[in-house]
Amino acid sequence: MNSIHPTAQLIGEVTLGSGNLIGPLVVIIGPVTIGDDNWIGTGAVIGAPPEVRSWQHPMDAAGLDTGKGIVIGDRNVIREYVQIHQGWHDITRVGNDVFLMNQSYIAHDCTVEDRATLASSVLLAGHVRVGVGANLGLGSSVHQRCYIAEGAMVGMGSVVTRNVPPFAKAYGNPARVHGANVVGMERAEIPAGTIGAAVSTYALPFDDALESLVGAAGLERALAGWLRHGTE
């Protein structure tokens, strides 16, 4: 069973799992697939066309459900007035246990992986990827095609114009790495020796220093993600 407020609008091909709450004035425009036990707050808009100048915006309300689609997993919290746009070249994806605070924005073709947090008014441009457990602070913005790697923390108000490596702290305009996210690593139960190595590593220019963390216990998945997405 899903709880859908009577003022919410589900348009086109929208597929829901079970246990979802869809609040007042929510608009969902397919193609959208949503899993189980998600909480979607007042005024969220999920499935508007990609914001691309060359996109042929439909002039008939019956044709609003266009795009490559959106897939949202399970147990996510999507707060008031969040916007998630349709994919342009690929599906826009939100994983599981993600927390999207009010007025955050996920553009076309983005991927937000499991347990990531976007604070209020975070802006993701097109094709951005946010890794597992990453945390983006209030009002930060991310340039298109950037990768925020697993466990990274981005400070409030930051402007991210380049990839942020795993379990790093980055802040500023433009954002730069300023050490390791020790608290995030401890919460991820990464061994103390690896945490110490990361603290030393992120005191150096990370483009060179990341090589020293290859093989460090507890960072295997994060570094594999970096090699796939962060070096593009």
Side-chain angles (χ1 to χ4, degrees):
M1 296 289 292
N2 295 295
S3 178
I4 303 175
H5 194 273
T7 62
Q9 297 188 53
L10 278 61
I11 302 167
E13 184 184 341
V14 177
T15 302
L16 299 176
S18 63
N20 297 292
L21 182 143
I22 300 176
L25 304 175
V26 170
V27 177
I28 304 176
I29 305 170
V32 173
T33 299
I34 297 175
D36 301 330
D37 301 317
N38 296 283
W39 193 99
I40 303 176
T42 299
V45 178
I46 300 171
E51 282 188 323
V52 177
R53 178 174 285 276
S54 61
W55 183 266
Q56 187 63 47
H57 286 67
M59 299 305 292
D60 181 351
L64 284 176
D65 51 338
T66 59
K68 293 292 186 178
I70 296 172
V71 174
I72 296 173
D74 304 330
R75 301 177 303 279
N76 300 292
V77 174
I78 301 173
R79 291 298 303 260
E80 298 77 20
Y81 303 104
V82 165
Q83 294 192 53
I84 305 173
H85 282 183
Q86 285 283 340
W88 177 27
H89 294 297
D90 200 356
I91 295 170
T92 302
R93 299 181 184 273
V94 176
N96 304 315
D97 302 297
V98 170
F99 191 8
L100 304 177
M101 298 189 194
N102 71 87
Q103 302 179 80
S104 54
Y105 166 65
I106 299 174
H108 61 84
D109 300 80
C110 286
T111 296
V112 180
E113 298 182 359
D114 297 351
R115 302 189 305 281
T117 299
L118 274 60
S120 302
S121 303
V122 167
L123 307 175
L124 303 184
H127 307 278
V128 166
R129 178 179 288 268
V130 177
V132 173
N135 191 315
L136 280 67
L138 180 79
S140 55
S141 56
V142 184
H143 192 275
Q144 63 186 24
R145 299 187 184 278
C146 283
Y147 175 48
I148 310 297
E150 178 175 346
M153 175 168 283
V154 175
M156 61 187 298
S158 297
V159 178
V160 178
T161 59
R162 62 184 300 182
N163 298 335
V164 178
F167 290 100
K169 292 188 297 185
Y171 52 84
N173 181 5
R176 292 289 183 262
V177 172
H178 296 275
N181 180 13
V182 174
V183 173
M185 297 179 82
E186 290 173 343
R187 289 175 177 170
E189 299 182 346
I190 290 174
T194 298
I195 294 174
V199 169
S200 299
T201 290
Y202 287 145
L204 304 170
F206 75 80
D207 289 326
D208 302 320
L210 277 178
E211 294 182 6
S212 67
L213 292 177
V214 173
L219 288 183
E220 296 88 352
R221 182 183 62 189
L223 289 173
W226 178 256
L227 291 174
R228 281 197 307 274
H229 306 295
T231 57
E232 296 175 350

